[in-house]
């Protein structure tokens, strides 16, 4: 969850130099610098200090042209061009203008942008005295041509391309306004359909006020603030204050009449305002390396050139064997070279004479195995080869001629093999015990007596096998056992209960997230969603994930106050019961989104700190953890990471756990929820979750354990074992009673699809690289949700590649979750086809998987020996043989087959 939007406006970004937009003639790429205050500044050479090095330098400037021509004209034993993919931030402005229309009677609101893109204005209005929805649809006469209604609360209007008098391109839309006093404000956000990004004002909707008595929300435009008043699009408020005082002397009068008097005293005033905007643009570059032997000295001469702009630094070294351990080569070195921590050298590449790119010449001794390097654009931007250092072989005998060699960029996918640790005798004893236990359980499930047992009992045995297998795997991955002998004895004595595990349900679940970040704005979301129940069920979904039901400080529901008050911005408690009942009638289960980590207080303590709670659960500050200084709790220290926007609940307190158990059981009985989506579980120990789930006995439960993946030099690492292990550890802490969202898989899909690096979709052991590769029955896979996408866009999936992501998660093991916005979009039919294929081939959370290809531009796998899938622009066809395959479905850069 999140309560604060990431601002695509990138307030931390600043550029020195010409702006790309109507005020400038041209846009020129600039180099970047990262300062300590995290503001990106366009400035040359500032990111690296090139003082004269105290090492010998090879002077190439005087004869560089001749030497370069010699290297390029001589037959090289190695020559390769590597693609470089990067993003560049382009800056511009969103401009908002209110002025008179052509007839000087009506007003005209203009919203525009000076960056290229497919821009859409998503907008609505607020009416005077409307206490319901924040957004409503405007009158028909206000809607510009080409506008499309979005349900009953918003309009989407495309911006039209225009030219400024100077010949610069910009995009704008004009809305006619009639100041009749009925409309209080115009609300909008700007959307770029090319990237799927939403642009807001300070993390909230833009608001243009049209009356002078709105509360200042700090997201208004055209508002000039002072100590006691703001002016906005209207005149000064001094007269209004006099009239307000007069109205008080008359006793209780009509608020509408009072506001009409205010409106009569002022006329609308125009304004023009600009807001910064930044957009990420994909840039393709390349680097070429030539290597030849010097006939006089037998040394290796390397020529490196690239079309990257600005001041490019090459961070380089050499290695003596296949371990690829970096070391500094002997002098001489190129000019502008400095040593880095006695492990590598940094050289600023020299600009080409034509100004298009840069180059460097390097001489290294013979007898070395390879030349290693990465390219540095600034402190935050390092360019590597498919996640690894560039490696150039220096031995001509070990390298094929350049024309007959395979692309090094393909071979760079192959990482160094991990050294297998020798297993100690004690570890062998532990693992032997686990293997014997698994064999016993397998014999039990296949025995003659097992024929009389129910399917649920067999499912439970499979769960025990999975737990033991996960423990065995963790032993092999570490040097000490991760479980005790008592745990093994306890597992041997366990008799499988005849019930479905809340961590997996039946194993065939397909989740639908039934809301987005804007759903609360209609004020009647439960009613709207109820009408979709039959439709979602017919698509093949089995579980609906509903939004947070409790009274909340934030309208989205993730800052709960009174847990027993279920009248929210999505609807009231009766409407909630109705929507759950309707989904049950459609054959679907319903998950409640519960926030257990934190709770907003309703009263202040004697120090003025908000840590005293109200409602039925009127806890005091003993319910708040002691190590969050913002809320001065008197509980124990937190068992997880603190969420600093609200008091973090101390789950170690007996009265807290008792109240939460009772509340969850009440929700199950009163509302009819079948399970839980658990928000921000990183904030408290998973053992408490086990306690709550055992009490409430959900059909299905999934936790949101979201933290950062592993990066090096700003680029995602190939090995994400540490990240998925943290999620596995949390699942283990719940004793496997809950699954978890597979954030690891989402992150890896991002890099694989965005950078055309499909080799990332296989780990070093040839398994899926996320949680789904280690514990598939507890992995809930997804590509987008209300935090990562929607109007928040914290971590938006690569635009235009969403169906590749769904082709992956809907054909693979794990429990897939599909985002509401994607279902009701142009992806609907493709998603429906993939769900239908998954169901008819009985793909489930534990289905087997065999990865066939994981290369630069293609990934292919066979799942359950029934489904074959490939994603990426590269080619793949299932192998011919005794298994016959028939085409099932396809889309842009993905294709699926099923066994005939």
């Amino acid at each position: 969850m999140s309560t604060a939007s990431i601002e695509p406006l990138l307030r931390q970004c600043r550029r020195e130099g010409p702006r790309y937009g109507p005020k400038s003639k041209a846009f020129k790429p600039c180099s970047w610098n990262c300062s300590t205050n995290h503001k990106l500044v366009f400035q040359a050479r500032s990111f690296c200090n090139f003082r004269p090095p105290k090492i010998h330098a090879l002077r190439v400037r005087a004869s560089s042209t001749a030497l370069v021509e010699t290297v390029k004209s001589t037959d090289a034993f190695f020559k390769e061009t590597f693609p470089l993919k990067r993003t560049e931030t382009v800056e511009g402005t969103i401009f908002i203008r209110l002025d008179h229309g052509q007839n000087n009677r009506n007003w005209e609101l203009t919203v525009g942008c000076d960056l290229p893109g497919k821009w859409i204005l998503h907008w609505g209005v607020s009416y005077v005295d409307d206490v319901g929805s924040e957004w409503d649809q405007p009158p028909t006469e206000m809607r510009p041509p080409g506008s499309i209604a979005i349900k009953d609360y918003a309009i989407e209007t495309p911006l039209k391309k225009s030219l400024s008098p100077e010949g610069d391109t910009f995009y704008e839309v004009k809305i006619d306004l009639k100041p009749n006093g009925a409309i209080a404000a115009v609300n909008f956000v700007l959307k770029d359909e090319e990237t799927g990004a939403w642009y807001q004002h300070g993390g909230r909707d833009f608001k243009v006020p049209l009356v002078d008595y709105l509360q200042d929300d700090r997201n208004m435009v055209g508002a000039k603030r002072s100590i006691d008043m703001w002016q906005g699009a209207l005149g000064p408020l001094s007269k209004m204050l006099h009239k307000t005082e007069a109205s008080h002397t008359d006793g209780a009068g009509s608020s509408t009449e009072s506001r009409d008097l205010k409106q009569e005293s002022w006329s609308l005033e125009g304004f023009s305002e600009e807001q910064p905007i930044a957009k990420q643009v994909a840039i393709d570059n390349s680097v070429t390396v030539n290597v030849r032997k010097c006939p006089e000295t037998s040394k290796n001469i390397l020529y490196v050139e690239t079309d990257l702009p600005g001041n490019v630094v090459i961070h380089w070294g050499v290695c003596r064997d296949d371990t690829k351990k970096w070391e500094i080569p002997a002098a001489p070195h190129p000019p502008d070279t400095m040593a880095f921590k006695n492990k590598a050298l940094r050289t600023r590449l020299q600009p080409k004479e034509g100004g298009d790119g840069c180059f460097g010449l390097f001489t290294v001794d013979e007898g070395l195995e390879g030349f290693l390097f990465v390219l540095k654009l600034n402190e935050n931007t390092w360019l590597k080869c498919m996640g690894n250092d560039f490696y150039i072989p220096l031995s001509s005998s070990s390298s094929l001629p350049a024309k007959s060699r395979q692309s090094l960029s393909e071979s760079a996918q192959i990482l160094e093999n991990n050294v297998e640790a020798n297993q100690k005798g004690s570890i062998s004893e532990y693992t032997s015990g686990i293997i014997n236990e698994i064999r016993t359980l397998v014999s039990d499930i296949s025995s003659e007596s097992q024929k009389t047992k129910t399917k649920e009992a067999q499912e439970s045995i499979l769960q025990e096998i999975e737990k033991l297998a996960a423990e065995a795997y963790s032993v092999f991955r570490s040097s000490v056992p991760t479980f005790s002998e008592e745990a093994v004895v306890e597992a041997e004595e366990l008799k499988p209960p005849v019930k479905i595990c809340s961590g997996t349900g039946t194993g065939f679940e397909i989740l639908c997230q039934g809301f987005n970040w804007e759903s609360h704005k209609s004020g009647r979301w439960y009613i709207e969603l109820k009408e979709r129940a039959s439709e979602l069920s017919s698509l093949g979904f089995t579980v609906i994930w509903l939004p947070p039901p409790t009274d909340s400080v934030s309208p989205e529901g993730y800052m709960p106050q009174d847990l027993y008050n279920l009248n929210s911005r999505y609807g009231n408690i009766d409407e909630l019961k109705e929507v759950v009942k309707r989904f049950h009638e459609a054959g679907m289960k319903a998950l409640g989104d519960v926030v257990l980590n934190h709770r907003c207080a309703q009263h202040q303590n004697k120090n003025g700190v908000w840590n005293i709670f109200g409602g039925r659960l009127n806890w005091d500050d003993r319910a708040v953890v002691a190590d969050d200084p913002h809320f001065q709790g008197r509980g124990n220290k937190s068992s997880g990471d603190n969420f600093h926007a609200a008091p973090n609940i101390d789950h170690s307190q007996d009265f807290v756990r008792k109240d939460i158990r009772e509340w969850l059981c009440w929700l199950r009985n009163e509302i009819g929820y079948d399970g839980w989506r658990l928000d921000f579980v990183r904030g408290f120990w998973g053992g408490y979750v086990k306690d709550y789930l055992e009490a409430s006995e959900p059909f299905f439960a999934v936790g949101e354990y979201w933290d950062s993946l592993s990066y090096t030099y700003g680029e995602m690492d190939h090995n994400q074992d540490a990240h998925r292990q943290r999620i596995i550890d949390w699942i283990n802490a719940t004793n496997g009673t809950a699954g978890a969202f597979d954030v690891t898989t989402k992150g890896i899909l991002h890099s694989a699809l965005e950078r055309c690096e499909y080799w990332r979709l296989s780990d070093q052991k040839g398994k899926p690289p996320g949680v789904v590769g280690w514990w598939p029955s507890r992995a809930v896979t997804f590509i987008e949700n209300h935090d990562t996408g929607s109007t928040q866009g914290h971590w938006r999936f690569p635009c235009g590649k969403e169906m590749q992501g769904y082709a992956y998660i809907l054909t693979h093991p794990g429990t897939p979750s599909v985002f509401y916005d994607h279902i009701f979009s142009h992806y609907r039919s493709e998603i429906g086809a993939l769900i239908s294929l998954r169901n008819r081939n009985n793909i489930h959370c534990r289905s087997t998987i065999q990865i066939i290809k994981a290369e630069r531009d293609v990934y292919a796998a066979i799942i359950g020996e029934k489904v074959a899938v490939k994603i990426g622009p590269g080619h793949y066809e299932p192998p011919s043989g005794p298994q016959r395959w028939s085409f099932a479905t396809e889309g842009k850069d993905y294709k699926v087959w099923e066994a005939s």
Side-chain angles (χ1 to χ4, degrees), residues 67 250 310 349 390 421 475 486 524 527 565 804:
L67 187 54
D250 295 335
L349 297 181
F390 288 92
V475 172
E486 289 79 8
R524 54 195 300 273
I527 297 174
N565 182 356
Q804 288 188 62

Side-chain angles (χ1 to χ4, degrees), residues 633-700:
R634 291 193 296 125
N636 297 311
K637 288 187 176 181
S638 175
S639 57
D641 296 335
N642 278 333
F643 177 76
H644 296 294
N648 287 251
I649 300 305
D650 180 11
H651 293 267
S652 70
Q653 302 286 355
D654 291 338
F655 71 91
V656 169
R657 292 201 308 278
K658 174 180 176 293
D659 286 345
I660 291 179
R661 287 195 299 266
E662 291 178 355
W663 178 62
L664 292 174
C665 291
W666 177 79
L667 287 175
R668 289 271 279 138
N669 297 326
E670 185 71 16
I671 306 301
Y673 284 128
D674 302 289
W676 316 117
R677 181 266 184 185
L678 303 161
D679 182 69
F680 198 74
V681 296
R682 211 179 79 207
F684 56 104
W685 178 48
Y688 299 131
V689 173
K690 172 181 177 291
D691 182 23
Y692 301 143
L693 297 186
E694 288 178 345
S696 59
E697 297 185 332
F699 167 84
F700 189 90

